[in-house]
Amino acid sequence: MINKIKYSLIILCALVFFTGCQKDDEGTATVDAMVAEPGDLLNQAYPLNKVRVEGNGLAGLKKITLDNTIDVAFNANYNSDKSFIFTVPFDDDLGSRFGVQPITFITANGIVTKNIEILQPVPTITNTVPAVATPGYPLEVVGTWFYNVTSVTLGGTAITFSANSPTSIIVALPANAVSGSELVITTPGGTASTTIEFATVVIVSDFDGGGVRESWVSYGDVESFNAATPGGPTGNYASLTWAGSTANGYNGSSGGGGANFLNATNNDATRTFIDIDVSANVIGAQFAIQLNTIDGVNYGYNFKITDVNWTTKTLLLADFKDNYGFGGNSAAGLDASKVNEIKVGIAQGDTPNPSTIKYDNIKIRYN
């Protein structure tokens, strides 16, 4: 009888132990798969993907931590014992990165850590600043996912670049860039490309024999003029000195007229610029930039030197005024395609005496 009682107790203990083990197994959280949507990537996902986690014992989800540091938001309403859904975050400030990294799930039934691979998305290009580029000038390329950029090419040739941010890259456009060239940005995630349209740039004169106006002369109250002064920013430059004479009341220099610089379709003064490298012997020397007479009106633009070091001055044609720059009417409505001469002189009425102005690399540019 005693033996029967012993055997009964042993069987009862075994049943209790077995039942207890069953409950522990049922209460342990397990993750069988992480499936990204859309695309059904298994244990991989792109930033901002929704990921469906499948397994057992997943009810009562309390916390999700990515890469041991980043708290991941989730909606508890979409949590069951078999699954839940979360969205992959990506925030530089929080330390987000690409590659294989741990992700930890804390549920009411336990803690599970798995590895997930965060994939780098393909970059995109949305626009450029400015919209119309200029050969030889920097260009900002705006887009998304500019991480770990390995190369930037233009027309198949590598060009210099610097990554401002994951949404901005500054590229150095070569001076000989051709309109319609394809710009390609390459990252580990893939490539993005766009066609770059370039501004029309006409070199008026570089004072080294280049440009459409090579032979320059001076006129009016000029003390001295040299269109081949050595030592400019890119070689020879032009220098003009006014020493106080008022016999004519004006002075200047010109490479002469001729064919219009721009074609007939480049007629918008608000998209036309004159670039000129300038310097002077003294702060306050006042440049006078004038155009050929157009439809009976003489337009000009006057500005003073604030730094005697060489600098590039960019003038918007629409900012020119009538009466040689001293009038009240702007050139905003001017037909830019009619410009065929650019004159450079000194505004004698408000400038130090003597003044020597220096200038080089005159260009007209249509964006």
Side-chain angles (χ1 to χ4, degrees):
M1 182 68 178
I2 293 174
N3 287 336
K4 287 184 178 180
I5 293 173
K6 284 183 179 179
Y7 288 131
S8 296
L9 289 173
I10 291 171
I11 293 170
L12 179 61
C13 288
L15 287 171
V16 169
F17 178 79
F18 180 73
T19 304
C21 289
Q22 278 190 315
K23 287 181 179 178
D24 286 344
D25 287 342
E26 289 174 355
T28 301
T30 60
V31 171
D32 299 326
M34 295 176 286
V35 183
E37 301 173 349
D40 291 336
L41 292 171
L42 183 61
N43 301 327
Q44 295 177 314
Y46 288 100
L48 309 183
N49 269 169
K50 290 186 181 302
V51 176
R52 185 176 73 257
V53 180
E54 300 173 350
N56 288 287
L58 302 180
L61 182 62
K62 298 177 180 179
K63 188 175 183 180
I64 304 174
T65 305
L66 178 62
D67 207 16
N68 300 315
T69 57
I70 302 171
D71 290 335
V72 180
F74 60 90
N75 189 336
N77 294 323
Y78 296 96
N79 177 207
S80 72
D81 192 64
K82 298 292 186 181
S83 68
F84 57 82
I85 296 173
F86 71 91
T87 300
V88 178
F90 203 90
D91 188 329
D92 290 321
D93 293 335
L94 297 178
S96 292
R97 65 184 179 92
F98 303 112
V100 177
Q101 51 202 273
I103 187 165
T104 300
F105 309 106
I106 302 177
T107 76
N109 299 299
I111 301 174
V112 184
T113 297
K114 293 287 187 177
N115 281 337
I116 187 170
E117 183 178 9
I118 306 303
L119 303 172
Q120 180 167 341
V122 176
T124 66
I125 296 173
T126 56
N127 62 286
T128 63
V129 181
V132 180
T134 301
Y137 284 74
L139 178 72
E140 181 183 11
V141 184
V142 180
T144 62
W145 303 112
F146 293 157
Y147 289 89
N148 311 308
V149 176
T150 56
S151 70
V152 178
T153 61
L154 183 67
T157 301
I159 60 176
T160 303
F161 68 92
S162 62
N164 262 5
S165 72
T167 60
S168 172
I169 293 177
I170 304 298
V171 300
L173 297 174
N176 61 351
V178 178
S179 191
S181 297
E182 184 180 45
L183 184 138
V184 179
I185 296 174
T186 301
T187 75
T191 62
S193 63
T194 188
T195 299
I196 303 296
E197 299 296 339
F198 289 100
T200 299
V201 179
V202 176
I203 299 174
V204 177
S205 182
D206 63 10
F207 299 100
D208 295 306
V212 295
R213 302 289 186 269
E214 296 182 25
S215 181
W216 281 66
V217 297
S218 64
Y219 54 85
D221 299 324
V222 173
E223 179 73 13
S224 64
F225 175 71
N226 184 356
T229 309
T234 57
N236 293 333
Y237 65 94
S239 59
L240 183 151
T241 299
W242 173 73
S245 172
T246 58
N248 295 284
Y250 59 86
N251 66 74
S253 62
S254 171
N260 295 345
F261 296 130
L262 303 173
N263 62 47
T265 60
N266 298 156
N267 55 13
D268 188 344
T270 65
R271 297 175 59 186
T272 306
F273 300 85
I274 293 174
D275 299 317
I276 179 171
D277 292 340
V278 298
S279 177
N281 69 319
V282 61
I283 290 176
Q286 184 166 208
F287 272 75
I289 310 295
Q290 297 170 6
L291 310 176
N292 52 292
T293 302
I294 299 175
D295 298 329
V297 181
N298 293 292
Y299 291 100
Y301 186 96
N302 306 303
F303 64 90
K304 291 184 178 181
I305 289 292
T306 58
D307 187 337
V308 296
N309 296 308
W310 282 101
T311 187
T312 300
K313 187 76 173 178
T314 295
L315 311 176
L316 177 64
L317 195 64
D319 289 338
F320 278 58
K321 304 286 187 181
D322 62 353
N323 192 26
Y324 304 101
F326 296 101
N329 300 309
S330 79
L334 175 68
D335 183 345
S337 70
K338 294 183 177 181
V339 178
N340 64 34
E341 183 180 10
I342 296 174
K343 310 168 191 177
V344 183
I346 296 173
Q348 297 177 182
D350 186 17
T351 196
N353 178 12
S355 285
T356 298
I357 58 172
K358 309 170 186 180
Y359 43 103
D360 198 2
N361 300 319
I362 304 173
K363 303 171 186 176
I364 186 164
R365 172 168 51 94
Y366 192 86
N367 284 2

